[in-house]
Amino acid sequence: MWKSSAAVEPLAVDEVGAIDDFSLPYRQTLRWERPSDPPACPTAFLGQVQYPRPGNTSLAWGARVEGQPVGILSIGVGDGEEGADIVHFFVHPDFRRRGIGSALMASAAQLLQGRRVLSASALVIDPETGSSSGEAFAEATGAVCRTRYQRLTLRIEAGSIDSGRDHPGYETLRWRGGVPPEYLPAFAQLSSSLAAEEAARSDSKRAPEKTDGEKIDALYKSLQMWGYRTYVSAVRHVLTGELVAYSSLGLAESHHRHASQWDTIVRPSHRGHGLGASLKRANMSWAMEHEPELTTVTAWNAIGNDAMVHVNESVGFRHDTGGAVWEWNVSGLT
Ligand SMILES: CC(C)(COP(=O)(O)OP(=O)(O)OC[C@H]1O[C@@H](n2cnc3c(N)ncnc32)[C@H](O)[C@@H]1OP(=O)(O)O)[C@@H](O)C(=O)NCCC(=O)NCCS
């Protein structure tokens, strides 16, 4: 029996009001958890539930105490996949340690029978103890830590980001809002090889995500629905015409000073020439032409990905916090 008197109910993910009710407690929770981070963007919160990643179906449960929304669990369930991913999971700080988080998880687990794994990212907040409520909860409920990450932040001083040096024999391409159709297959191939490299550094039991041009196109359309302004720079090898690298970042609708650095990959046969660092600089510098208020960029790197940490540090990124991907065995959650 749960210790809480909270009512946990499935939410109609296509009804804006049903999800939007949880936007205010979500923003309050994030402000409390991470006071120095930019406030959560309501459009991204809502969009990520309403418009799931390509190939995923969205499910959500809300917890209320005396009618007041206090917590949400939303997940994306991949078609034909053995696992599911947590998109949002929080309980307002005033209502914790009453079993509400566990009750939300149990509701999800009932619907996920037949799937083996539920994955989530948890942010480590307390630099003294290296732990967080998310990690403590994950450990207590039987999750296993699969990959540890460090977060690095770049603080941009005036003129500190140049547009990267020129690399003879290579040409830089820049796209806003998505990837042009002619580059989608090559971009998807790079993205899949990045996912395979990440998987090799992880203990995850899930297969790495394979993508294709159609899925990449759909992903950037989803990002637009979530309100993100996206910037992608890619490198083309002039002699062969081959796309050999890309770097992407995005700003949430309500963010003007803060961007999230996403993927950066250089094809293995073109590594060792400084393309990665130059490309990252070039992409940020180009984004700044359109985002003049941009002052911080955060990036997540898997522990053990020394090459990417080195690239980021050479650009000026510095470690600030950490996180991890956790996996639950679904059958253990009911
Ligand atoms: C993680 C979170 C959703 C848990 O919600 P909750 O309602 O407090 O969870 P429960 O009450 O069901 O906790 C179940 C057990 O987890 C453990 N636990 C949860 N929070 C803990 C904490 N801060 N410290 C130590 N143990 C904790 C306890 O063993 C607890 O059982 P107990 O209270 O009987 O000892 C909530 O802390 C939260 O919103 N955190 C911030 C967002 C986040 O990290 N989300 C999770 C990503 S995986």
Side-chain angles (χ1 to χ4, degrees):
M1 195 181 7
W2 305 115
K3 289 178 284 181
S4 77
S5 51
V8 170
E9 284 179 353
L11 301 175
V13 294
D14 48 356
E15 280 177 25
V16 175
I19 309 299
D20 210 23
D21 258 5
F22 293 84
S23 178
L24 179 62
Y26 173 67
R27 276 178 282 149
Q28 290 169 335
T29 301
L30 252 75
R31 198 179 313 134
W32 188 85
E33 293 279 352
R34 312 179 203 167
S36 51
D37 279 11
C41 173
T43 309
F45 171 77
L46 194 61
Q48 285 167 11
V49 182
Q50 283 210 292
Y51 308 103
R53 287 173 68 89
N56 276 23
T57 302
S58 195
L59 298 170
W61 294 263
R64 293 175 186 273
V65 172
E66 291 168 6
Q68 183 189 346
V70 299
I72 193 170
L73 170 61
S74 73
I75 59 177
V77 185
D79 298 341
E81 244 233 86
E82 59 174 348
D85 294 291
I86 291 184
V87 176
H88 301 304
F89 180 32
F90 76 86
V91 171
H92 190 282
D94 294 346
F95 297 90
R96 290 192 184 161
R97 305 299 292 270
R98 303 186 191 186
I100 297 176
S102 305
L104 284 163
M105 283 293 240
S107 299
Q110 273 168 16
L111 266 194
L112 285 176
Q113 290 311 311
R115 308 261 165 181
R116 288 198 304 117
V117 187
L118 179 62
S119 313
S121 311
L123 192 75
V124 175
I125 296 144
D126 186 340
E128 300 281 309
T129 61
S131 68
S132 70
S133 54
E135 299 227 325
F137 174 86
E139 261 178 21
T141 51
V144 177
C145 179
R146 296 298 186 195
T147 320
R148 289 220 162 259
Y149 288 88
Q150 56 179 312
R151 190 176 81 171
L152 297 101
T153 295
L154 172 71
R155 304 204 184 278
I156 301 172
E157 316 288 340
S160 67
I161 294 296
D162 56 47
S163 55
R165 68 182 170 88
D166 273 350
H167 290 267
Y170 294 98
E171 173 193 17
T172 305
L173 311 166
R174 298 158 156 190
W175 309 311
R176 289 171 74 189
V179 178
E182 64 272 32
Y183 290 107
L184 281 170
F187 190 95
Q189 205 189 31
L190 280 171
S191 174
S192 295
S193 53
L194 177 62
E197 281 189 36
E198 293 269 298
R201 272 186 285 270
S202 162
D203 293 331
S204 174
K205 298 290 170 244
R206 296 175 66 182
E209 187 180 352
K210 277 209 182 102
T211 193
D212 56 28
E214 214 175 299
K215 268 194 181 172
I216 294 289
D217 195 36
L219 175 65
Y220 276 87
K221 289 198 168 102
S222 298
L223 286 164
Q224 275 181 12
M225 303 305 281
W226 303 352
Y228 277 90
R229 307 186 294 288
T230 59
Y231 297 87
V232 180
S233 293
V235 176
R236 197 171 148 271
H237 184 229
V238 177
L239 197 63
T240 57
E242 196 188 12
L243 203 69
V244 297
Y246 75 78
S247 181
S248 57
L249 64 80
L251 289 87
E253 188 179 78
S254 64
H255 294 173
H256 296 278
R257 296 189 196 159
H258 175 78
S260 300
Q261 171 69 51
W262 295 326
D263 297 352
T264 299
I265 181 161
V266 178
R267 198 179 285 284
S269 51
H270 294 265
R271 291 181 187 171
H273 308 303
L275 276 180
S278 278
L279 180 59
K280 219 164 221 193
R281 284 177 179 280
N283 198 38
M284 284 191 287
S285 142
W286 177 58
M288 284 167 69
E289 286 176 25
H290 300 274
E291 308 286 346
E293 293 174 50
L294 186 59
T295 51
T296 59
V297 183
T298 49
W300 288 91
N301 290 151
I303 303 287
N305 189 353
D306 297 339
M308 191 45 79
V309 171
H310 179 74
V311 164
N312 279 335
E313 287 178 347
S314 77
V315 175
F317 281 88
R318 295 293 173 259
H319 171 91
D320 70 353
T321 185
V325 167
W326 291 79
E327 283 179 3
W328 284 264
N329 184 334
V330 172
S331 59
L333 279 170
T334 41

